[in-house]
Amino acid sequence: MSSSTSNEYSLPTTTSPLNVPASANRWFIPLFALVVIGGLFYVFHSLALDLESARAVPWLMLGLALLIALGFEFVNGFHDTANAVATVIYTRSLPAQAAVLWSGVFNFLGVLASSGAVAYGIVALLPVELIMEVGSSAGLAMVFSLLLAAIIWNIGTWYFGLPNSSSHTLIGSIMGVGLANQFLAPAGAAASGVDWSQAYKIGLALLVSPLIGFIGAAVLLVLMKTVIRSKDLMKSPEGNKPPPTMIRGLLILTCTGVSFAHGSNDGQKGMGLIMLILIGLVPTAFALNRTPGPDYMEAFQSASSQFEQTLNRYAGSAAPADDVREEVVHAIETHQWTPATTASLAQFVGNTRSEIEHFDSLSQVPNGLVTNLRNDIYLSGQAAALMPEQSGLSINDSDRQVLKNFEGQVNTATQFIPDWVKVAVALALGLGTMVGWKRIVRTVGERIGKTHMTYGQGASAELITMATIGAADHLGLPASTTHVLSSGVAGSMTANGSGLQWSTIRNMIMAWVLTLPASIAIAFVLYVAMRAVL
């Protein structure tokens, strides 16, 4: 999968923007070290405060799990964050170290500003019984195997300098775990595997986004040539001379936007998995969001009551199952919905409402009830999200609003991410970029097109990437910064008639094609092995 070729374009060593003078490190390394130390202090201090209310903390297992999860984000920095700085480095808009630091700052801000929708969208792909029992040996095997599988494949593609998608890899790893979970289930036992409807939506987003990058960047470059008609915009850098001020500002702005969008989207993948780890190992501290006050409890009770009444109306004369919880779990696992499921869900929501009505706030829930209550609230939310598509019922707009309000209250209680988790993920992404950025930056900057990247090509590729990733984040879908930006660079090179280095393009396509089956296979084998060991 080597991307070298005899006629590949390469900058002379003396003018390479990747050659960072030693003097640059005099201010860069101390500054970055100060940021890392401050961030680590905040993370450990906040974690210690959160764990004060925990009864027993499995420190060794918690430390190992968090280390592996943050290791995934560290390796993610090799790939995805490095793409955000490639264009500003190769257009000489910013020196390499300054670009990496600048990108890291806005990745950090993007992570802090993220909604969490992508994080829990990824989590929803996992087998529901393992999510509810993530602290068990099977649940821990799930988390460890999918993270290690993603790390192994990402390191392999990074070694060859291929812009591979961490999103693509993680989705494949989750699918591998789901398939292995079904494979290991006893004969006749119900076990969920892959949520194919959710996987289809996410897979479609990952498939379409590179096409948007290629076509969008090509069209935008043509529009720039037609409308702006600036000769400077279509020039390549001259030696180490930076571009004109306005063009330089545009390129730095697009780098900033891509970095922020990347942080708000890609950073969430690790955050969702870290929350799974925390919920499983320290449920008394992290299974429920303890911050909402009495107003939330009133809102939850009202939303639950309205949703229960709506379900009873749609259930009609249907009777609930003998075990309403088991019926709800079965519907989520199999996506099979009957009138009895609707009636069972109504009773299950009512039971959960009764469990919680005795408390003035979630912070008052006793430690011994936290895990079961969290699972019940989570299950009712998952079933509510599934109902419109699977029940076959014709649900009117007002009832859909009732359902949406209920889902919102469920998400407030179960889908939260502490600020220290966001800071930890941002630091892991930044450190990964510091260590491994050169390989991917060189591929994007030198080995996609046959000529040096022009200012217009860099701007068009990054503008499209920024818009695409931002839209995906708004929709709660994962998107690959790597695929969108590298496709955008290829599209801009094609539109400009610069030509493509097909050896690199072939290797990138091969990595894209192989990522899903390879990560599925690695995660499958790891999960089976870890289930046997644990």
Side-chain angles (χ1 to χ4, degrees):
M1 295 170 66
S2 172
S3 57
S4 59
T5 181
S6 58
N7 63 350
E8 84 175 8
Y9 159 71
S10 182
L11 288 169
T13 302
T14 55
T15 63
S16 175
L18 304 184
N19 292 337
V20 181
S23 58
N25 292 328
R26 293 175 185 172
W27 63 268
F28 177 79
I29 293 178
L31 180 60
F32 187 73
L34 184 64
V35 172
V36 171
I37 292 171
L40 289 176
F41 175 80
Y42 172 76
V43 168
F44 285 118
H45 177 69
S46 300
L47 176 59
L49 290 177
D50 283 346
L51 293 177
E52 282 183 350
S53 62
R55 287 186 295 182
V57 180
W59 291 104
L60 181 61
M61 187 64 74
L62 178 62
L64 178 62
L66 291 177
L67 184 65
I68 294 175
L70 292 173
F72 165 74
E73 289 297 344
F74 178 81
V75 176
N76 188 1
F78 289 1
H79 284 276
D80 294 26
T81 312
N83 287 275
V85 298
T87 54
V88 289
I89 291 174
Y90 272 88
T91 56
R92 306 310 203 279
S93 298
L94 283 175
Q97 294 284 33
V100 170
L101 181 61
W102 182 264
S103 176
V105 168
F106 283 93
N107 263 282
F108 177 82
L109 294 175
V111 171
L112 291 182
S114 60
S115 64
V118 174
Y120 285 98
I122 291 288
V123 169
L125 284 172
L126 294 165
V128 65
E129 69 269 20
L130 295 185
I131 294 176
M132 292 190 295
E133 301 294 336
V134 71
S136 66
S137 60
L140 292 174
M142 168 189 72
V143 174
F144 287 153
S145 57
L146 71 88
L147 284 171
L148 288 173
I151 290 171
I152 289 168
W153 184 251
N154 274 350
I155 289 178
T157 51
W158 165 82
Y159 178 79
F160 290 101
L162 296 174
N164 173 58
S165 167
S166 297
S167 303
H168 203 169
T169 305
L170 186 60
I171 299 303
S173 299
I174 290 173
M175 293 174 68
V177 167
L179 293 172
N181 186 58
Q182 281 187 319
F183 174 76
L184 293 175
S192 57
V194 179
D195 184 344
W196 291 110
S197 61
Q198 182 75 357
Y200 172 78
K201 290 190 290 186
I202 290 176
L204 187 63
L206 292 174
L207 176 65
V208 171
S209 55
L211 298 176
I212 294 174
F214 184 92
I215 297 171
V219 171
L220 185 57
L221 184 67
V222 172
L223 287 174
M224 283 181 176
K225 285 183 174 183
T226 305
V227 177
I228 300 177
R229 296 182 176 275
S230 170
K231 292 183 179 180
D232 288 337
L233 190 61
M234 299 307 157
K235 285 182 178 179
S236 299
E238 299 176 1
N240 289 321
K241 182 180 177 182
T245 304
M246 292 293 291
I247 295 174
R248 188 180 191 186
L250 173 64
L251 288 162
I252 293 174
L253 178 64
T254 57
C255 169
T256 303
V258 171
S259 300
F260 185 88
H262 173 264
S264 68
N265 192 283
D266 268 48
Q268 293 192 56
K269 302 174 182 73
M271 293 186 321
L273 296 172
I274 287 174
M275 288 309 298
L276 268 186
I277 292 167
L278 294 172
I279 290 167
L281 295 178
V282 201
T284 54
F286 297 104
L288 283 176
N289 185 359
R290 303 291 193 129
T291 58
D295 290 345
Y296 168 75
M297 302 302 284
E298 294 177 9
F300 181 85
Q301 292 288 349
S302 174
S304 297
S305 178
Q306 291 179 31
F307 186 48
E308 182 184 356
Q309 293 172 18
T310 300
L311 288 168
N312 280 324
R313 184 156 33 85
Y314 280 105
S317 60
D322 293 336
D323 188 335
V324 295
R325 191 180 196 276
E326 184 60 32
E327 175 66 22
V328 171
V329 171
H330 182 265
I332 296 171
E333 289 178 343
T334 62
H335 285 205
Q336 295 176 3
W337 198 286
T338 66
T341 307
T342 305
S344 298
L345 179 57
Q347 185 173 319
F348 185 63
V349 170
N351 294 345
T352 305
R353 179 169 54 82
S354 298
E355 287 183 74
I356 207 173
E357 66 183 0
H358 305 295
F359 309 109
D360 293 330
S361 69
L362 290 177
S363 61
Q364 294 183 358
V365 177
N367 287 342
L369 297 180
V370 166
T371 300
N372 285 339
L373 182 57
R374 192 262 177 193
N375 284 342
D376 287 349
I377 294 174
Y378 176 81
L379 283 172
S380 61
Q382 289 293 103
L386 187 67
M387 177 187 165
E389 296 180 5
Q390 301 297 326
S391 65
L393 298 171
S394 179
I395 303 174
N396 60 46
D397 290 340
S398 61
D399 289 340
R400 285 183 182 273
Q401 187 59 47
V402 168
L403 188 152
K404 184 178 179 181
N405 290 341
F406 176 73
E407 286 185 86
Q409 299 303 323
V410 168
N411 292 344
T412 299
T414 60
Q415 297 188 7
F416 68 102
I417 300 173
D419 287 341
W420 70 262
V421 173
K422 297 182 178 182
V423 172
V425 168
L427 288 175
L429 276 173
L431 284 170
T433 307
M434 303 298 117
V435 173
W437 59 275
K438 282 191 178 182
R439 286 181 182 268
I440 301 301
V441 166
R442 179 172 283 115
T443 297
V444 174
E446 298 182 23
R447 295 170 180 166
I448 293 179
K450 289 184 177 180
T451 63
H452 199 299
M453 183 185 298
T454 67
Y455 306 135
Q457 288 172 326
S460 60
E462 290 220 316
L463 280 169
I464 291 299
T465 302
M466 178 175 65
T468 304
I469 303 300
D473 188 41
H474 178 73
L475 295 172
L477 294 170
S480 168
T481 305
T482 303
H483 284 163
V484 178
L485 184 63
S486 55
S487 298
V489 171
S492 67
M493 290 286 177
T494 302
N496 201 45
S498 304
L500 299 174
Q501 296 191 45
W502 286 104
S503 59
T504 301
I505 301 299
R506 281 194 301 270
N507 286 338
M508 288 171 59
I509 293 174
M510 183 175 292
W512 187 88
V513 170
L514 291 177
T515 289
L516 202 60
S519 53
I520 288 174
I522 296 170
F524 187 101
V525 171
L526 285 175
Y527 182 73
V528 172
M530 288 188 182
R531 280 292 298 270
V533 172
L534 295 176

